Structure formats: structure tokens, C-alpha cells
Amino acid sequence: MSPDVALLRRAAEAVARADALLVGAGAGMGVDSGLPDFRGPEGFWRAYPPYKKLGLDFSAMANPRWFRQDPAFAWGFYGHRLTLYRTTVPHEGFQVLRRWSERMKHGAAVFTSNVDGQFQRAGYDENHIYEVHGSIHHVQCLAGCGVGILPADPYAVDVDPETFRARGTLPTCPRCSGLLRPNILMFGDWDWDEQRSQHQEARLGQWLRSVGGARLVVVECGAGSAIPSVRHFCEMAARNHDGTLIRINVREPDVPPGGIGLALGALAALRAIDDAMR
């Protein structure tokens, strides 16, 4: 038996005997749906060529200062992403995970650093999703007028495909008519309203406590070590609950002792585990 087959069988056995599923997801989870992962400057610039000419990488663009200095520039970037995430169909792997969880006593919960809302779009329970960096599908007032966090549903941004600058009216606050910004944690961001994410964190903590001594399997998909929040959380959850960590990552599949590392893309790995379970 090859090492790859042995690892897939171990993963399938861990999923089959589990009573609860914790899904961890980084940017690599969305790649099979056609979403960019922004890995390195070249990856970012392939998705957004105009920023290469300006010498701006993802961390430079994902900065709240642009909303004050050049709102059309800021909303060009986030408006394009909002439209992209609204129209992207989650790949089959999301449903594979859902099918697994439906057979488990405690179901599933999600911890994700992605802001794309793909788990909600795939039909996961909103009350069991923790978006640690916020969501592009929600907005907050730049002026901090007290309106709170609002759904982004009423807002659409027209973006020039050549310059990636927003055209026309930008999203404005219904209370004070000031500029709105996405409710996303950006780099160097001291104004992010984390209230929604804090509520999600509390609900996830409650779910983990309810799992108690049940058999937990943690399936982590596409979470890298550059911003290791997902990897750290998944390792901690598996350790604290005596669960099994299955780490799916093309480039960084290394795992702590007892974990299962699969050097595959998210969709390929989830399909392979599903096949092994049959």
C-alpha cells in the first residue's frame, strides 16, 4: 500500500467514526471554485494586473487608509471582490463535508479566515460559522456613527475593468450618509468593528463545549502558515478534544504528531477521502 493510500484510509476512518466535524478553511479552500488565493505578489497581480503597475501587493491594497485617502480606489478593489464572491458557486467539496457532518451526532462547525461567504452560500448553518477576519457581505460606517454592522446586500459597486477604480455612487451609511467600508479586518486596521465576529466566536466556543468528549475530526483545507490563525486553531481544537487533525494543503501539509497531512488541493482530497469511505 502506498503512503498516499494509507493516509487517505486513515483520514476516511477518522471521518467515519467521528461524532463531530470542525472544518478549518483558508484561501486554498476557494481555489477550486475559481477564486484567487493571492499567494505572493505574482499571484495577486495575475488577478489584479493594474496594481502591478502601481507596485501594490495584497497587503498594501488591503489597508483601510485607502477608504479615507481615495475611496474610489478602495471600493474598486473591494467592489470587484464583492461581485466575484456573490457570483462564485462553491465547489463540490463543500457538499462532501456537509454530507459527512449530516451523519454525525453533533454536526459541523466552521472556522475560516476567508471573507467570501462561501460556506453560507453552500448552505451551512450561519450559527456555526466563525469568520475570524470578518465578511465582505457586511459593511460598517467609516465615521463610526453607531449604525453598527449592516448587510451589504443593498449595495453594488460599478468597477472599471481597466483601472479597477469604482465608478459612480459609493456605498453610503443610511444613518449619517458617510462612506461605508467592508466589515473586514484589514492590515493595520484599528477601526474594524469585531462585534459580529465576537458573537460568532462565542457560538463556536459553545459548540465545542457541547461536543465534550465526543469523537472530533478536524478537517483543515488550504490554510497556510503565512497567516497561521486557521492552522493554530485547528491544531489547538484537535489537541484539546483528543481529536484527529486532517490537514489538506498542497504546499504545507506538515502536521503535529498524530495528524494526517495530505499534499492535495481541497476538492481532490475531499473527493479521495469520500471515495475511500465507500
Side-chain angles (χ1 to χ4, degrees), residues 5-137:
V5 172
L7 287 173
L8 286 169
R9 285 194 179 177
R10 280 183 58 203
E13 289 167 3
V15 172
R17 67 172 179 262
D19 300 310
L21 170 64
L22 174 64
V23 179
M29 181 62 172
V31 170
D32 292 309
S33 300
L35 296 176
D37 67 358
F38 303 148
R39 183 177 175 84
E42 290 300 327
F44 177 66
W45 289 333
R46 277 195 297 273
Y48 296 99
Y51 302 135
K52 184 172 185 177
K53 298 176 185 176
L54 299 173
L56 298 171
D57 61 11
F58 176 69
S59 61
M61 280 306 304
N63 190 304
R65 68 188 175 96
W66 296 117
F67 284 94
R68 299 189 186 277
Q69 294 180 7
D70 193 343
F73 187 60
W75 267 114
F77 178 52
Y78 282 100
H80 178 272
R81 292 176 68 192
L82 178 60
T83 299
L84 175 65
Y85 297 154
R86 280 174 171 170
T87 55
T88 297
V89 177
H91 62 74
E92 179 198 340
F94 286 87
Q95 299 307 322
V96 170
L97 289 164
R98 275 192 70 193
R99 286 202 307 273
W100 294 349
S101 71
E102 287 167 358
R103 297 197 296 264
M104 298 180 189
K105 177 181 177 181
H106 296 281
V110 176
F111 180 96
T112 180
S113 60
N114 299 333
V115 301
D116 52 30
Q118 288 284 286
F119 283 96
Q120 287 92 332
R121 191 168 172 79
Y124 285 68
D125 184 352
E126 172 75 38
N127 292 317
H128 287 166
I129 301 171
Y130 176 18
E131 296 159 300
V132 68
H133 294 161
S135 168
I136 201 166
H137 302 289

Side-chain angles (χ1 to χ4, degrees), residues 128-198:
H128 287 166
I129 301 171
Y130 176 18
E131 296 159 300
V132 68
H133 294 161
S135 168
I136 201 166
H137 302 289
H138 292 79
V139 289
Q140 64 183 77
C141 180
L142 195 68
C145 71
V147 71
I149 299 170
L150 306 171
D153 298 354
Y155 305 103
V157 180
D158 180 26
V159 179
D160 186 315
E162 298 297 322
T163 64
F164 276 89
R165 292 183 65 85
R167 301 181 289 201
T169 304
L170 301 178
T172 53
C173 176
R175 172 179 284 190
C176 73
S177 299
L179 186 69
L180 291 173
R181 52 157 280 186
N183 181 233
I184 291 173
L185 177 61
M186 304 177 198
F187 291 91
D189 193 351
W190 301 104
D191 296 322
W192 178 52
D193 185 342
E194 60 183 340
Q195 186 174 14
R196 179 173 175 271
S197 287
Q198 285 177 334

